[in-house]
């Protein structure tokens, strides 16, 4: 599968974008009661620690779906 290129953050223009499971983003370990749920949902985040604004795309069931949602802009459908 070809890797999908991420667009810059639509809010700050940042390019330090992280894609991962909610468990990774929230630093949830496998002992958390919500781990299975968090590990099966994915988000795209404008990395605040790397100078971004912290914007987060909504939860999706796959990385590809999270990236597709992040890349969607009002002017391109």
């Amino acid at each position: 599968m070809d890797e999908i290129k991420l667009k810059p953050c639509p809010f700050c223009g940042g390019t330090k974008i992280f894609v991962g499971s909610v468990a990774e983003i929230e630093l949830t370990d496998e002992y958390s009661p919500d781990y299975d749920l968090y590990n099966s949902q994915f988000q795209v985040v404008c990395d605040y620690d790397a100078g971004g604004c912290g914007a987060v795309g909504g939860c999706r069931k796959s990385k590809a779906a999270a990236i597709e949602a992040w890349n969607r802009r009002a002017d391109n459908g």
Side-chain angles (χ1 to χ4, degrees):
M1 182 173 131
D2 294 329
E3 189 165 328
I4 302 169
K5 184 174 170 80
L6 288 163
K7 290 184 178 181
C9 177
F11 301 102
C12 73
T15 58
K16 301 294 183 183
I17 309 297
F18 178 78
V19 181
S21 72
V22 175
E24 291 174 291
I25 293 166
E26 298 292 330
L27 302 176
T28 304
D29 65 26
E30 66 268 16
Y31 303 108
S32 169
D34 296 322
Y35 180 77
D36 289 337
L37 173 64
Y38 290 172
N39 201 42
S40 66
Q41 298 290 314
F42 297 88
Q43 292 180 317
V44 178
V45 179
C46 181
D47 193 343
Y48 184 81
D49 292 332
C53 68
V56 179
C59 290
R60 300 293 190 264
K61 292 184 180 186
S62 71
K63 283 186 178 184
I67 292 168
E68 182 181 330
W70 176 268
N71 284 342
R72 185 173 180 172
R73 301 295 192 260
D75 62 345
N76 72 355

